[in-house]
Amino acid sequence: MRLLLLLLPLLAACRYTFLPLDPGKPPPPERPFVVARLLPEGKEARLLLKVERLPRPGYLHLKWFREEALLQEKALFLEGPGAYEARFPLGSGYHRLVGLWEGRPLFQLDLGSPSLPDPEEVEDQGDGEEGQEGGDHHAPGHP
């Protein structure tokens, strides 16, 4: 009993003393959040861009391609959340619009279908030794 009375002050010092700290409001994410649509309108394509979140004002770089060729580059200055619009020339074939924010891709939108090679016309190139003519294709000492 005496021992318990001696240990009682030590046990009182071991009680739960953690108070949860209020973390406050978390900082906003460092990347923008946008909703983009590309609509064909006659001989033009119209980009409709709705910015939901923007960490800071800056330029959105737009690159407009037909197949593999770069046709046009534009820059939109985004000040904050809101609606933005841009137009691009539209011809026949496959078109692609790439939006870059601070040098990194933010979105890619496509119109049309890409021209892919016909699988019937592509010859099987292979990576083995089949079909090779001529001498020995093996290292010395191997069958």
Side-chain angles (χ1 to χ4, degrees):
M1 180 77 162
R2 199 175 207 200
L3 182 62
L4 183 62
L5 289 174
L6 289 174
L7 291 176
L8 191 60
L10 291 175
L11 291 175
C14 295
R15 67 181 172 204
Y16 181 75
T17 58
F18 175 77
L19 297 175
L21 300 175
D22 180 16
K25 186 177 178 182
E30 284 296 312
R31 62 174 190 234
F33 177 69
V34 300
V35 177
R37 290 186 65 194
L38 191 59
L39 304 170
E41 293 182 349
K43 293 185 179 184
E44 288 185 326
R46 187 171 85 168
L47 168 68
L48 299 174
L49 185 70
K50 184 176 180 189
V51 177
E52 300 286 338
R53 180 180 61 228
L54 196 64
R56 63 194 148 277
Y59 284 97
L60 174 68
H61 295 275
L62 302 169
K63 295 188 176 198
W64 181 243
F65 295 88
R66 180 183 306 143
E67 300 292 342
E68 299 296 323
L70 177 64
L71 294 180
Q72 192 174 32
E73 290 186 73
K74 287 185 179 184
L76 285 178
F77 185 72
L78 306 180
E79 296 183 55
Y84 299 86
E85 187 176 313
R87 294 182 181 272
F88 299 93
L90 184 60
S92 61
Y94 171 68
H95 290 80
R96 180 176 70 241
L97 177 66
V98 178
L100 303 165
W101 176 261
E102 296 179 345
R104 291 177 294 198
L106 185 59
F107 62 83
Q108 175 179 319
L109 302 171
D110 303 317
L111 278 179
S113 299
S115 59
L116 300 173
D118 185 7
E120 299 295 324
E121 293 180 12
V122 177
E123 293 182 20
D124 183 20
Q125 298 291 324
D127 57 280
E129 297 176 9
E130 301 86 28
Q132 292 184 6
E133 296 182 19
D136 187 11
H137 298 292
H138 299 286
H142 285 79

